[in-house]
Amino acid sequence: MLTLSEFLTQIPKAELHYHLLGGVRMSTMLDLAKKYGVPLTEKEAKSYYRAYAHENEVMKGGIAALHFLYPLLREAVDYQRVAHEVLEDAKNTGIRYVEFFWNPNDTNLSYQAVTDALAKTFEQAEQEWNISAFLIPSINREKTPEEAVKMVQWMIDYPHERVLGIGIDYREDHAPIENFWKAYRLAEQHGLRLTGHCSEFGLHWRNVETGLDLLNLERIDHGYTVIENPELTARCARLGIPFTVVPSNTFFMKKWPNHQDWQKNHPIRQMAKAGMKIIPATDDWHMHDTNGVKCYEVMIEDFGFDLDGVRQCILNGIDAAWQPESLKQEWRYHWMKEFDDLRAQLVEEPKIAPELYTQYGPKTF
Ligand SMILES: [Zn+2]
């Protein structure tokens, strides 16, 4: 018999929104600082990790961690160490497939060197642990749109089977997605897949709309304020636009520290209620103190999902993965069989909210 936590650990899952360096273990951060003689006390290192956050201390958070880590990874082997550990952590929580964001404009190493190094580690992990991993080079929107075009050009000049498409991340406030239209247009013209962080940090739903209508994004990362526009919400639900949503999102954790408020207010719950195609994601695994299991525990405990809802989210992840339909069809069959077999071994199904996401597939509007 299985407890709910064992069940959530074992069910096969796809992770579509994971910043590679957000999964750096703290011990690795400290080791790399030592390797390159960069001053970093344990106290400072802890300030990047939510697990060590104390009430009166300011936590630096995921974006600050990326700013610190990119200059710290100075050799291809550093990326390989990180990727190996990240995949080890992921497979231990039942993740079978990951698409990783990383930011080629933030490293002094060449695009080709990092891509080759990561791909090599991915090959090994696939053989060793049965987990497959791919890359989504991501625009650092705190840099210029011209740098973004440069990144896409690197991708065009060095196509790689482990590289699927482009994303955009970092602080959105002063860098709306339309500023980067040229990079997106170029990527699209060369057959790269397109996703983007839109309407994070409470920013206007317009950014989701712009991402979809101007830049032709196929997926949206975050996108929470979409629920403030019922027409746009209904359209996204009707078309089944995949949204990768992050239960450990810092903005809402700060806004509603009491999780009881989440049941009423949290946009992830409202997005689900509207029948949108959502895929729970970890974003910055260690920095956010989350993992492939905790992410789904929040879906159940705080957002009221039952196991039909969890099953649907996993299917949504398969649908939204940037892989050939024939492979995804195999996953649907085998992963759901595993899911159902494991479910039959559960001690007890979680008793939870009712109306939310029990329907199979998005509601029809
Ligand atoms: Zn993210």
Side-chain angles (χ1 to χ4, degrees):
M1 297 301 274
L2 296 173
T3 63
L4 183 62
S5 159
E6 288 165 340
F7 168 78
L8 293 173
T9 305
Q10 291 179 38
I11 50 174
K13 298 173 278 290
E15 168 63 75
L16 304 182
H17 181 161
Y18 189 141
H19 303 272
L20 182 69
L21 298 198
V24 173
R25 297 173 187 168
M26 195 175 79
S27 54
T28 303
M29 184 192 269
L30 286 162
D31 278 358
L32 288 170
K34 203 168 155 194
K35 176 177 172 184
Y36 294 115
V38 173
L40 178 72
T41 63
E42 195 168 315
K43 190 168 180 250
E44 282 166 336
K46 282 182 175 174
S47 67
Y48 291 106
Y49 290 82
R50 188 178 286 158
Y52 300 102
H54 296 294
E55 258 177 43
N56 300 325
E57 269 177 43
V58 180
M59 197 204 138
K60 288 182 180 153
I63 289 182
L66 298 189
H67 281 301
F68 179 74
L69 281 165
Y70 273 110
L72 194 60
L73 274 70
R74 297 179 190 179
E75 295 176 357
V77 288
D78 301 333
Y79 280 90
Q80 290 187 304
R81 173 178 176 175
V82 167
H84 188 264
E85 292 174 353
V86 155
L87 286 169
E88 186 179 31
D89 291 339
K91 66 97 183 167
N92 285 337
T93 60
I95 289 173
R96 304 284 173 87
Y97 174 80
V98 199
E99 294 177 6
F100 285 116
F101 293 119
W102 78 285
N103 303 90
N105 292 102
D106 291 351
T107 175
N108 288 327
L109 295 169
S110 74
Y111 172 75
Q112 184 173 342
V114 177
T115 303
D116 284 344
L118 290 173
K120 201 169 159 197
T121 304
F122 292 173
E123 300 289 342
Q124 288 162 353
E126 196 159 315
Q127 285 173 13
E128 202 178 342
W129 296 321
N130 186 29
I131 179 170
S132 47
F134 289 82
L135 292 168
I136 306 178
S138 197
I139 296 166
N140 175 349
R141 69 199 321 160
E142 294 177 15
K143 295 187 170 172
T144 64
E146 290 70 36
E147 292 243 13
V149 172
K150 206 160 76 183
M151 181 194 89
V152 175
Q153 196 57 55
W154 292 334
M155 296 172 68
I156 294 164
D157 292 343
Y158 189 64
H160 197 289
E161 60 184 9
R162 292 273 169 183
V163 179
L164 303 170
I166 66 164
I168 185 168
D169 49 29
Y170 282 83
R171 290 257 167 239
E172 190 179 348
D173 320 39
H174 303 296
I177 196 158
E178 58 265 35
N179 291 6
F180 300 88
W181 68 271
K182 214 171 186 175
Y184 271 92
R185 192 66 47 87
L186 185 62
E188 189 182 15
Q189 283 165 352
H190 285 81
L192 291 162
R193 311 296 296 264
L194 312 176
T195 187
H197 284 44
C198 297
S199 308
E200 199 188 352
F201 313 112
L203 295 174
H204 202 278
W205 51 259
R206 184 187 309 118
N207 296 351
V208 168
E209 192 180 58
T210 305
L212 294 174
D213 291 340
L214 198 65
L215 300 175
N216 296 334
L217 299 191
E218 302 165 64
R219 279 194 334 224
I220 300 287
D221 303 305
H222 300 290
Y224 310 110
T225 51
V226 71
I227 51 151
E228 292 169 14
N229 179 334
E231 272 175 39
L232 184 61
T233 302
R235 178 182 147 204
C236 290
R238 189 176 61 245
L239 298 176
I241 308 282
F243 280 64
T244 63
V245 295
V246 176
S248 57
N249 183 264
T250 308
F251 178 80
F252 296 109
M253 284 206 150
K254 280 190 193 152
K255 189 170 179 184
W256 298 305
N258 184 344
H259 284 214
Q260 278 180 345
D261 294 333
W262 291 21
Q263 300 218 348
K264 279 196 297 266
N265 302 323
H266 203 293
I268 292 181
R269 189 172 157 103
Q270 297 183 45
M271 290 161 94
K273 218 167 174 175
M276 291 179 66
K277 183 177 270 192
I278 58 170
I279 300 116
T282 55
D283 205 5
D284 290 308
W285 189 287
H286 284 305
M287 309 308 163
H288 278 189
D289 189 25
T290 185
N291 61 46
V293 173
K294 283 186 186 175
C295 177
Y296 276 91
E297 279 172 348
V298 177
M299 298 306 287
I300 293 170
E301 287 162 15
D302 292 316
F303 300 138
F305 274 55
D306 61 12
L307 293 190
D308 289 338
V310 169
R311 196 179 190 277
Q312 182 59 50
C313 285
I314 292 170
L315 282 167
N316 291 347
I318 298 175
D319 284 352
W322 288 341
Q323 291 297 322
E325 191 51 40
S326 54
L327 177 63
K328 297 201 286 186
Q329 199 50 40
E330 275 179 42
W331 290 351
R332 283 186 196 100
Y333 177 78
H334 292 290
W335 292 16
M336 289 306 109
K337 186 171 182 324
E338 267 187 73
F339 185 101
D340 295 337
D341 290 348
L342 289 164
R343 187 175 183 173
Q345 298 170 46
L346 261 179
V347 179
E348 191 181 18
E349 290 236 351
K351 288 189 186 58
I352 31 159
E355 83 287 353
L356 197 56
Y357 203 71
T358 52
Q359 80 278 13
Y360 191 85
K363 281 178 195 161
T364 316
F365 281 79

